[in-house]
Amino acid sequence: MDRMTAPAHALVGTHADTLAKARAAIAERGYWSAFPESPSPRVYGESAAADGKKAFDAYLGSAFPLEQPGTKGEVSSEVSPFGVDLGVTYPHGDVDALVLAARAAMPEWRDAGPDVRTAVCIEILTRLHEHIFELANAVHVTTGQAFVMAFQAGGAHALDRALEAIAYAHAEMTRHPATADWEKPAGKGDPLRMSKTFHVVPRGVALVIGCNTFPTWNSYPGLFASLATGNAVIVKPHPGAVLPLAITVKYAREVLEDAGFDPNLVLLAPEAPDEKIATTLATHPEVKIIDFTGSTAYGEWLEQNARQASVYTEKAGVNTIVVDSTDDFRGMCSNIAFSLTLYSGQMCTTPQNILVPRDGIETESGHLGFDDVAAGIAGAVGKLTGDDARAVELTGAIVNDAVVSRIDAARSHGTVLLDSREIAHPTYPGAVVRTPLLLTQDAANEGMFDSEWFGPITFIVATDSTAQSVDIFRRIVGRKGALTAAVYSTDPGVLDAMEAATIDVGVHLSANLTGGVFVNQSAAFSDFHASGANAAANASLTDGAYVANLFRVVQSRRHN
């Protein structure tokens, strides 16, 4: 035990304040952030953006600088939604060699203890933060996110989520004392005495399977929670978004080596076309933890077939808004429109179904019919996307051809209220950009909208009443799951009924959002992402229940 290097020892003190603040934040659930979300030169320095872009550009058209065990050639698979010619090649590793190297790196990391592991993980975040513009450019170009969103969600917010996971991991690992003296009275004889030691023991090799749309934000909680709890981590990026996670692995390995640990605690596993390396890794007997974000079909396959591992999945869901009434109709429409437009609806938290009584709703200006409500939302979307140059800073680009095909297919599933249109990107001539498609539909045709249509596709559904809207919400989300839900109402009874429904189906609720907070955005250290209580996800990626299952406590006791 305690075979810690001097650099690692020093990091405990260096990051003690950050850890203390993060632990306080997860307990208090108020606002706190460790990493500024504004890319302003006033925050990061005059040359930071240019230096980061230069570092990003240096990767293009070349072999990514990463030396790993078991490398057999190189692979290249990324196609930028903006049409940027990336041309980056990555080391292609032998699965058994990667797993063997990861497993061999674990004993010293395990023995370092929770405090050192946590400090080293925070140092990795610090190193990544120093290169946040480099990381943001990689997220931007590989995912199609507009740059500001890539900087915030793919950079600062992802780092905050990682720190949140580390804080939970430290809290759970230190919940019990490391040692205890045990003494039991034994009548007239001497007491029974034992000294006990409680070892935090990792589960094994962890596998993180990245997604195309949010490669860092969705991967960082699993990556850093597993690493902090003593596990080695193999990062398998989505073929369309390798670079952001390659950069992450690169700096993680540098920090681990600088701290005196085996860099093979974090490894990258990019795949060749149609190789299905995720499946090979997921069923490897040494892989004991799997984190996955993606399709329902593959998530369910992992849950059913990776039987040797604890599998954590975030899959498809049907996010829903119930509209009953409002005292700020314009604010409601604007808020909803922003959520539908942001990143072209390619967020796992974007609303898809908006349920509105066919007889209309009450507003601050009087009664408005269903058509008026639908037109108000469509008009707000149209306003946001009417100017092409402004629109692309919200929509970004479409991540892959499947989303474009889905938009085309959706047109036959309702009456087109606002059609999706193609936009020419002023900066990237090769970008694929589409504005949101809004359809009206009737509650009687539930089969048209009761599954996820991933992308900029929204159904505004006419229901018989708010009560029926809540019933439809409860039924669809009860079957298919959701990550977010929202309600607009001036009636406390409706708000209570909707909250009761969301508790029953296990989905997070937002009520009466009309300002600068949106249903598809969540705040680290305060909002939970997913609940683990419905079909859309089987865990909340930053809570105690999740991180506590990434390690075990093994005790030893000696008679005194």
Side-chain angles (χ1 to χ4, degrees):
M1 294 289 288
D2 297 327
R3 290 181 291 160
M4 307 179 218
T5 64
H9 269 301
L11 291 175
V12 174
T14 300
H15 297 301
D17 184 60
T18 298
L19 177 60
K21 289 178 178 176
R23 288 197 52 171
I26 62 172
E28 296 166 1
R29 312 307 298 179
Y31 172 76
W32 184 72
S33 174
F35 303 100
E37 67 177 2
S38 171
S40 167
R42 293 192 301 272
V43 177
Y44 284 95
E46 291 296 332
S47 67
D51 292 344
K53 181 63 163 60
K54 182 178 179 181
F56 163 76
D57 287 341
Y59 293 125
L60 304 183
S62 62
F64 190 83
L66 194 65
E67 294 185 7
Q68 296 188 151
T71 297
K72 296 182 177 180
E74 297 176 331
V75 293
S76 179
S77 57
E78 292 160 306
V79 177
S80 170
F82 289 118
V84 176
D85 185 12
L86 294 167
V88 188
T89 59
Y90 303 93
H92 185 226
D94 174 77
V95 166
D96 287 333
L98 291 173
V99 173
L100 183 64
R103 195 73 184 86
M106 286 177 58
E108 187 171 8
W109 183 241
R110 174 200 65 204
D111 293 346
D115 291 343
V116 168
R117 289 197 302 270
T118 299
V120 173
C121 285
I122 297 175
E123 179 66 14
I124 295 172
L125 300 188
T126 302
R127 185 76 58 89
L128 288 169
H129 188 231
E130 292 170 357
H131 297 272
I132 191 169
F133 282 93
E134 175 184 334
L135 186 65
N137 275 283
V139 172
H140 167 60
V141 171
T142 58
T143 67
Q145 293 179 31
F147 181 79
V148 171
M149 183 177 182
F151 183 93
Q152 292 178 342
H157 296 171
L159 293 171
D160 270 340
R161 278 297 186 193
L163 181 56
E164 183 180 11
I166 292 167
Y168 270 110
H170 188 267
E172 292 299 325
M173 288 188 293
T174 57
R175 178 182 295 276
H176 306 291
T179 62
D181 293 323
W182 183 85
E183 183 174 303
K184 179 181 178 181
K188 295 182 179 180
D190 292 337
L192 300 175
R193 297 185 178 90
M194 302 192 78
S195 60
K196 301 185 179 185
T197 304
F198 304 97
H199 303 271
V200 173
V201 177
R203 299 289 299 272
V205 176
L207 170 65
V208 173
I209 304 174
C211 68
N212 199 169
T213 49
F214 288 89
T216 54
W217 199 97
N218 276 98
S219 295
Y220 278 13
L223 194 170
F224 285 96
S226 288
L227 190 63
T229 51
N231 306 280
V233 184
I234 296 176
V235 179
K236 188 274 166 191
H238 189 282
V242 182
L243 187 55
L245 290 177
I247 291 170
T248 301
V249 169
K250 172 179 177 286
Y251 289 120
R253 289 173 62 84
E254 287 181 5
V255 170
L256 287 163
E257 191 164 30
D258 290 346
F261 293 102
D262 190 333
N264 293 330
L265 285 162
V266 181
L267 293 157
L268 187 74
E271 64 182 334
D274 301 319
E275 183 181 11
K276 302 187 187 308
I277 195 173
T279 297
T280 304
L281 281 165
T283 53
H284 195 288
E286 292 289 345
V287 171
K288 301 300 183 182
I289 300 165
I290 299 171
D291 283 278
F292 166 78
T293 299
S295 72
T296 295
Y298 192 62
E300 290 179 347
W301 186 92
L302 288 169
E303 292 166 354
Q304 295 164 8
N305 292 276
R307 306 303 293 272
Q308 85 291 345
S310 294
V311 180
Y312 303 98
T313 58
E314 181 187 313
K315 300 166 290 192
V318 185
N319 302 319
T320 303
I321 298 176
V322 170
V323 177
D324 168 74
S325 56
T326 181
D327 58 7
D328 184 0
F329 181 72
R330 190 177 194 179
M332 179 189 80
C333 292
S334 296
N335 190 280
I336 292 173
F338 186 89
S339 291
L340 302 183
T341 304
L342 189 63
Y343 189 30
S344 299
Q346 298 171 121
M347 301 174 69
C348 57
T349 50
T350 299
Q352 173 183 297
N353 295 341
I354 303 174
L355 309 179
V356 183
R358 69 178 77 256
D359 291 336
I361 68 171
E362 298 302 322
T363 76
E364 76 281 9
S365 301
H367 186 84
L368 292 178
F370 173 85
D371 290 342
D372 296 321
V373 175
I377 296 171
V381 172
K383 183 177 180 180
L384 283 176
T385 58
D387 178 80
D388 289 1
R390 179 188 177 194
V392 297
E393 296 307 316
L394 292 176
T395 63
I398 297 297
V399 71
N400 56 45
D401 292 341
V403 177
V404 175
S405 298
R406 201 172 294 121
I407 295 170
D408 294 337
R411 288 191 178 93
S412 63
H413 281 66
T415 301
V416 175
L417 175 66
L418 180 69
D419 205 353
S420 176
R421 65 185 183 90
E422 187 173 352
I423 291 179
H425 200 292
T427 305
Y428 301 109
V432 179
V433 183
R434 299 289 187 276
T435 61
L437 169 68
L438 272 63
L439 305 154
T440 57
Q441 189 49 269
D442 192 275
N445 303 319
E446 191 171 308
M448 293 288 186
F449 56 85
D450 68 346
S451 297
E452 183 185 58
W453 289 77
F454 183 77
I457 302 163
T458 301
F459 296 91
I460 304 179
V461 181
T463 67
D464 292 340
S465 64
T466 295
Q468 187 189 35
S469 296
V470 175
D471 287 343
I472 291 171
F473 162 80
R474 189 190 295 269
R475 182 165 57 250
I476 293 177
V477 175
R479 291 198 311 266
K480 302 296 180 66
L483 293 179
T484 63
V487 60
Y488 288 88
S489 181
T490 58
D491 183 342
V494 170
L495 296 177
D496 290 344
M498 188 62 180
E499 186 162 356
T502 59
I503 292 170
D504 286 343
V505 298
V507 61
H508 303 312
L509 175 67
S510 299
N512 294 328
L513 299 181
T514 57
V517 176
F518 305 94
V519 67
N520 50 342
Q521 297 175 321
S522 62
F525 304 103
S526 185
D527 296 323
F528 292 104
H529 177 68
S531 67
N534 68 67
N538 67 5
S540 179
L541 297 187
T542 46
D543 70 357
Y546 168 64
V547 299
N549 199 35
L550 304 180
F551 66 92
R552 291 291 182 259
V553 175
V554 177
Q555 73 171 33
S556 63
R557 53 186 187 174
R558 297 183 182 182
H559 183 265
N560 291 339

